[in-house]
């Protein structure tokens, strides 16, 4: 059968452009494709919401691929087990309350399931700013990651969304950028960003779920970004808190929409 290179190019350009055009007006824009962002995308898409996730890197999955110090296995606690079971990702019992998950299976599985549930997923796109109206965040400002990396002077484009979720992990880039630019009062005990604290897995895992919430009108936070905003400790290569936080943010956002 004949294969035409021009048709191959046209198919890609048309399909991608159509999807990006669809994503310019969203129910929910998620920034960051780690475990928390992917789980949030899965539940929101499953509930029929128009959701897109934007990831800076080529690969989706954030900190999942490398496990603990490049040993690509991670630990999940009992509480989060049903989430991975729903994703059809296998868990192996290590000891009471400690389950082992293969990082490659988890990263690829969460990505596959979010996509299959109907989330749009864009890799190689960075969120560099937010859009505001009075005292509410109403969208994100995006650009190609290679533009950002090469520091090219090229203006971004804007994605409108009813709700934005910062799932950018340790740097919590969306909240941090907004706070820096606007000097606004966040929904924290001091009104500012409290910063991530040193390792304490049990407390870190508890606080990450507890503090998953709206930090500023229109802007929600999930995953490691939660502890960076609310001053919780880090927890190392245990991922249950990320999954529970992603599920919680989706549930809260669904109530709000
Ligand atoms: C687009 C961006 C931008 C941007 C960042 O780090 P992640 O895996 O995030 P979480 O919170 O889902 O999971 C955290 C976990 O991986 C982890 O780091 C743990 C458990 N640490 C414990 C410890 O003690 O260290 O994923 C965030 C993703 C990454 O893929 C980034 O590339 C992406 O967000 N990202 N994407 N625009 N501005 N900033």
């Amino acid at each position: 059968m004949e294969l035409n290179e021009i048709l191959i190019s046209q198919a890609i350009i048309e399909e991608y452009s159509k999807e990006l055009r669809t994503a310019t007006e969203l129910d929910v824009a998620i920034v960051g494709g780690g475990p928390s962002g992917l789980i949030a995308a899965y539940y929101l898409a499953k509930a029929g919401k128009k959701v897109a996730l934007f990831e800076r890197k080529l690969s989706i999955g954030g900190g999942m691929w490398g496990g603990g110090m490049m040993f690509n296995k991670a630990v999940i606690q009992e509480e989060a087990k049903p989430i991975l079971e729903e994703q059809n990702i296998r868990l192996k019992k290590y000891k009471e309350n400690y389950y082992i998950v293969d990082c490659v299976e988890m990263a690829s599985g969460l990505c596959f399931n979010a996509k299959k549930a109907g989330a749009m997923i864009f890799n190689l796109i960075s969120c560099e700013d937010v859009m505001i109206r009075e005292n509410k965040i109403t969208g994100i400002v995006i650009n190609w990651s290679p533009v950002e990396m090469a520091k090219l002077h090229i203006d971004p484009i804007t994605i409108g969304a009813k709700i934005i979720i910062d799932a950018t992990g340790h740097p919590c880039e969306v909240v941090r950028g907004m706070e820096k630019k606007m000097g606004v009062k966040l929904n924290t005990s001091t009104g500012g960003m409290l910063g991530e604290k040193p390792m304490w897995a049990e407390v870190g895992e508890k606080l990450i779920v507890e503090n998953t919430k709206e930090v500023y009108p229109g802007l929600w936070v999930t995953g490691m970004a939660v502890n960076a905003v609310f001053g919780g400790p880090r927890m190392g290569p245990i991922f249950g808190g990320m999954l529970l936080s992603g599920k919680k943010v989706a549930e809260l956002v669904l109530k709000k929409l």
Side-chain angles (χ1 to χ4, degrees), residues 31-38 54-57 59-64 125-128 145 148 167-171 173-174 196 199 205 208 222-225 234-239 242:
V31 184
S36 63
L38 283 169
F54 299 89
E55 165 56 49
R56 169 180 284 141
K57 294 195 177 137
S59 63
I60 308 296
M64 278 187 284
I125 291 184
S126 294
C127 167
E128 60 169 63
S145 302
E148 177 190 65
T168 61
H170 295 271
E173 287 194 18
V174 184
E196 183 187 299
M199 185 83 84
E205 286 288 271
I208 212 159
T222 185
M224 206 57 222
R234 68 189 306 183
M235 68 296 289
I238 177 160
F239 279 80
M242 304 304 135

Side-chain angles (χ1 to χ4, degrees), residues 99-246:
Y99 292 86
I100 286 283
V101 62
D102 181 88
C103 290
V104 174
E105 184 163 330
M106 178 164 63
S108 54
L110 293 190
C111 183
F112 182 74
N113 289 330
K115 188 77 204 134
K116 286 288 226 187
M120 291 175 268
I121 299 184
F122 297 95
N123 56 345
L124 292 169
I125 291 184
S126 294
C127 167
E128 60 169 63
D129 207 344
V130 292
M131 171 166 70
I132 53 159
R133 285 293 179 278
E134 274 94 49
N135 295 321
K136 190 180 185 303
I137 307 293
T138 54
I140 56 169
V141 175
I142 59 163
N143 214 330
W144 300 117
S145 302
V147 165
E148 177 190 65
M149 287 158 74
K151 299 192 192 322
L152 299 177
H153 188 170
I154 297 176
D155 274 351
I157 60 170
T158 306
I159 300 289
K162 291 176 190 150
I163 283 175
I164 318 297
I165 300 177
D166 183 342
T168 61
H170 295 271
C172 61
E173 287 194 18
V174 184
V175 180
R176 192 181 297 281
M178 185 208 59
E179 196 215 20
K180 195 167 150 213
K181 247 186 180 175
M182 292 165 64
V184 293
K185 206 163 177 304
L186 304 174
N187 181 22
T188 62
S189 56
T190 61
M193 284 200 38
L194 302 175
E196 183 187 299
K197 300 292 180 293
M199 185 83 84
W200 189 356
E202 195 178 325
V203 175
E205 286 288 271
K206 184 170 157 276
L207 291 181
I208 212 159
V209 182
E210 249 173 59
N211 288 325
T212 294
K213 55 178 95 153
E214 191 173 24
V215 282
Y216 187 78
L219 180 58
W220 296 65
V221 68
T222 185
M224 206 57 222
V226 170
N227 280 5
V229 173
F230 289 93
R234 68 189 306 183
M235 68 296 289
I238 177 160
F239 279 80
M242 304 304 135
L243 307 175
L244 291 162
S245 169

